[in-house]
Structure formats: structure tokens, C-alpha cells
Amino acid sequence: MLKVEMLSTGDEVLHGQIVDTNAAWLADYLFENGFPMTRRNTVGDNLEALAAILQERSQQADIVIVNGGLGPTSDDLSAEAAAKAAGVGLELHEEWLAHMEQFFSSRGRVMAPSNRKQAMIPAGSEMVDNPVGTACGFAMTLNRAVIFFTPGVPSEFRQMVQQQIVPRLRQRFPEVDPPVCLRLTTFGRSESDLAQSLDSLTLPPGVVMGYRSSMPIIELKLTGPAKAREAMEAVWPKVREVAGESLIFEGTEGLPAQLARRLQEKPLRLSLSEQFTAGLLALQLRSAGAPLLDSEVLTDRDETLQEAAQRAAALVQKAGSELTLVVGAMRDEQLNIVLCTPVGLHAVRLKFSANRHELRTRQEVCAMMALNMLRRWLNDAPVTSEHGWVQVVEAFSQ
């Protein structure tokens, strides 16, 4: 198995001043492409420390992806550290310098002298194109490892990984096959409950069952080598059966995206009224391309379930949409959700267990419950269902 590592650089990453979203994205992307990450290190803006860890990891790893430190300022040290680790000097990449000058002039700007630093790469290294920025990526072989150096800006980093680095890895390691990963996402059951039901499942050789908990959902993943696909697909219906009513979608496309596609296929247009979720539903659905008409965010107000239902019916008339989804205020750990459809209205009042989570998490739980009501209606299933930590205290349809 290849040893694939990431080295994140920068004091702001080391000290937790920014969240390293690049690391999470890279781990997932490499896994999907058959190069699962085996280790990750983080080093601050220190030349000696960077050079030392490059030397150390290049003797242990097959692939190292270095992220950050390719900017024009004095604390951007990756190129200098790479040259120091390899025992070579830096040399000017004339082609990249010309590219940068054109980059700035096309925007009516003069390139600052400090940007020249971004065209300096270790002697003997290979330039790796950055199609959207000024930081010149590069690759070099050091000891047993091939090392890629990338900028920290997420949009630049991701394009370089997708367009430049993974294609090079496929060429260099043609024997690598992406693993098979079957996924489904559940809502309303605990990880321990699901695990207890799945522990007795007999899996094919080399196949593992994984769990990813990210409140308010639990993802189940069956992962194995490509040669095990047929055997995995034979087991998968049993995983679906265990998930049961808690299964809300399969694959990697999220629930908002799947709902957006279903609404477009029908076609049905949706209007929203939110209180406790504060526009979260609108953000998720609009980002996924759902056909939304009116979307309102109201201040919290006391209303009965019947009053919330009347407001939902009125919003359908006002917006001219076929569907309306209303999320009320959270009062005494109780909340109203109403779904108004062309063939009827469904209203439910929910009572949550004692507040154990921060506001954002609770809003995400409520948004998921509202989306799940819509999903169940689109799938011709009963609109309301129990959700483990949530109790239905009142419900009606009309």
C-alpha cells in the first residue's frame, strides 16, 4: 500500500487560527481516487523545521503533498525549505515569471517586486501549473518520495490537485485502482444503535463497515477493493434494511441536491417561511438549485400548530407555489413544522429532548427534519416519523 501524506504549513494553521478545510477535502478526494492518505503533519512558518520534516517524511512516504507557503511574503518558506532539504539552490522559472506579469497587466495592475519570489523554485524541480493564481506549484523527487508543493488558497489548491497532481499520480502508479465505497445517510438513529445492528453482518474479505457521525446525520460506508464490488453489492441490501426508516439518501449527493432535482422533475415550486432555522433551509435549497419562489425569515412568534398550518396555506396563495414549508419558533423545546402540498396539508409539533447542543446544531437538526418531511412526501411515504431524540406531540393532516 502506498504511503500518502500531507504536510500543512503556516502558523495560522498550526495554532488553529484558521480551519484547515484543504486537509479534509484532500483526504476525501484522494480516497475516492485510490490514494488514501496515511498521515498528516502540520508545521509553522519555520525554515529549519520545514526542511527537517521534508527530509524525514521523504524517507518514509511515497507521496507527499505540501500545502501552503508559496506566497510572495517573507513567511512563505516552502520553496526555500524544499531547496534546503534537497541541497540545491532556487532558480527563476522564466516562463512563470512571464505568466505572472501577464496576469497582473491583464487586470490593469503592475506586478509588485515581491511577487517575483513566486517564480523561484528548487533547481531540478518540475513546475506544476496553477490555472487560477500567481503561486507557482512544483514537484520534486526527494529520497523515496515524490513531493508536490501547492498554494494554500482553496480554489487554487483544489484545481491543482484535480487537474495536475492526481493525473500525474495515475501515470506514475497505474496499478492503483480506486476503492469501491457504497454510502447511505441516516437521520434519527444513534451511531451505537446502528452499529449494534450491523456488527453481526458478515462482510467479504477486505471490506470494512465505516460510520461517520456529523450531527444530525450518520453516514454508513461499505468500503473495499474494486474486485469485491459484486460481493459488496450483495451485502448492501442488508445495510439498507438495517437503516430502515432512518435512511434519507444514498450516495454522496446531499439531501438538498436530491430534493432540488426531484422538485425540478415534477415540476413543483416551493415557498418557505422560517423562524427558528433563520434562513438555513433557503440557503441549502437555493445553493442546490431548487425551484424556490417566496422565502421569508420571520422573528420568533408564539403560534399554535393550527395557526402555523393556516399561515402555510396562506403563503401558498400569496406565493403562487405548489408547495410551502413552514418552520416555526422554538418555544419550551417545542417546534411546529408544516408542509402544504397540492393534495393536502401536513402539520406536526415536535418536542426535543433537553438542549445539549449549540444553536447552529439545533437549527441544522430542525432544517433536516423539515427537508425529511418534504422527502417523504415526494416519495409517497408517511410524512411524519419518530426521530429518536424527538417526540411527536401533535400532528394532523387535512
Side-chain angles (χ1 to χ4, degrees):
M1 180 178 177
L2 290 172
K3 293 182 179 179
V4 182
E5 302 187 5
M6 179 181 187
L7 174 60
S8 300
T9 72
D11 287 345
E12 69 281 5
V13 179
L14 181 64
H15 301 310
Q17 295 163 346
I18 64 170
V19 177
D20 191 356
T21 56
N22 284 349
W25 179 86
L26 180 66
D28 184 61
Y29 189 76
L30 289 180
F31 176 84
E32 294 289 347
N33 282 274
F35 298 95
M37 196 185 296
T38 55
R39 180 169 174 155
R40 180 189 164 217
N41 293 286
T42 304
V43 179
D45 297 315
N46 181 287
L47 180 62
E48 297 297 329
L50 280 168
I53 199 166
L54 287 171
Q55 262 294 341
E56 174 195 314
R57 300 320 309 159
S58 69
Q59 297 176 50
Q60 302 294 325
D62 300 296
I63 300 163
V64 181
I65 298 177
V66 182
N67 187 229
L70 297 184
T73 58
S74 60
D75 61 348
D76 290 306
L77 301 170
S78 290
E80 188 177 351
K84 185 177 180 67
V88 299
L90 292 170
E91 60 183 18
L92 181 67
H93 196 286
E94 296 284 357
E95 181 182 343
W96 190 257
L97 179 62
H99 168 81
M100 284 198 298
E101 290 171 342
Q102 173 61 29
F103 180 92
F104 283 99
S105 66
S106 67
R107 290 160 175 77
R109 298 164 56 193
V110 176
M111 188 182 84
S114 60
N115 285 102
R116 184 181 176 89
K117 175 184 176 183
Q118 294 183 285
M120 303 294 294
I121 63 176
S125 61
E126 174 193 4
M127 191 271 283
V128 176
D129 186 36
N130 176 354
V132 292
T134 59
C136 176
F138 60 92
M140 61 189 294
T141 299
L142 182 63
N143 296 316
R144 61 175 278 179
V146 55
I147 309 179
F148 297 92
F149 291 80
T150 62
V153 179
S155 59
E156 299 178 27
F157 169 68
R158 296 180 186 188
Q159 286 203 43
M160 290 176 71
V161 170
Q162 293 169 331
Q163 299 176 16
Q164 302 290 326
I165 295 176
V166 167
R168 283 173 166 85
L169 293 179
R170 291 215 172 285
Q171 194 170 36
R172 190 180 183 104
F173 304 101
E175 71 282 3
V176 170
D177 282 326
V180 174
C181 185
L182 306 179
R183 305 172 187 247
L184 64 79
T185 297
T186 68
F187 173 67
R189 288 177 65 183
S190 69
E191 184 176 356
S192 57
D193 181 30
L194 290 164
Q196 184 176 3
S197 301
L198 289 167
D199 280 348
S200 60
L201 192 64
T202 301
L203 300 178
V207 175
V208 296
M209 174 64 69
Y211 304 83
R212 184 179 68 87
S213 175
S214 178
M215 187 68 178
I217 57 94
I218 307 291
E219 183 184 59
L220 306 181
K221 299 190 297 182
L222 198 62
T223 307
K227 63 183 179 182
R229 175 181 288 276
E230 187 174 341
M232 291 168 64
E233 290 175 345
V235 170
W236 192 238
K238 297 178 183 177
V239 180
R240 282 200 200 99
E241 183 180 341
V242 167
E245 284 291 298
S246 66
L247 193 163
I248 55 173
F249 64 88
E250 293 192 50
T252 57
E253 184 184 45
L255 184 56
Q258 295 195 23
L259 290 176
R261 181 163 35 79
R262 292 292 306 280
L263 291 170
Q264 290 164 351
E265 289 169 356
K266 288 289 184 179
L268 294 168
R269 297 165 301 172
L270 177 68
S271 54
L272 300 169
S273 177
E274 302 181 64
Q275 292 178 48
F276 183 66
T277 47
L280 185 57
L281 277 174
L283 174 64
Q284 292 178 348
L285 289 168
R286 194 171 297 281
S287 297
L292 297 185
L293 291 184
D294 281 6
S295 175
E296 62 182 18
V297 178
L298 306 177
T299 56
D300 284 1
R301 60 185 66 183
D302 250 335
E303 60 184 0
T304 66
L305 187 58
Q306 186 64 47
E307 288 170 337
Q310 291 170 354
R311 192 158 59 81
L315 185 57
V316 167
Q317 297 299 319
K318 175 186 173 185
S321 59
E322 290 78 31
L323 298 169
T324 292
L325 195 53
V326 170
V327 178
M330 181 73 77
R331 295 293 174 91
D332 300 321
E333 302 304 321
Q334 296 190 30
L335 175 137
N336 297 323
I337 302 178
V338 181
L339 174 64
C340 191
T341 78
V343 293
L345 179 146
H346 307 275
V348 60
R349 187 171 185 86
L350 304 168
K351 182 175 177 60
F352 292 75
S353 56
N355 176 18
R356 298 174 297 161
H357 303 286
E358 62 181 16
L359 174 62
R360 175 68 181 200
T361 300
R362 299 171 74 216
Q363 289 173 321
E364 289 175 349
V365 169
C366 294
M368 181 63 75
M369 296 191 73
L371 291 177
N372 196 37
M373 282 182 64
L374 177 59
R375 178 193 69 86
R376 293 175 69 86
W377 181 80
L378 288 169
N379 290 343
D380 298 319
V383 170
T384 59
S385 63
E386 296 292 340
H387 293 285
W389 63 88
V390 181
Q391 176 187 359
V392 176
V393 295
E394 183 183 354
F396 65 83
S397 298
Q398 61 186 36

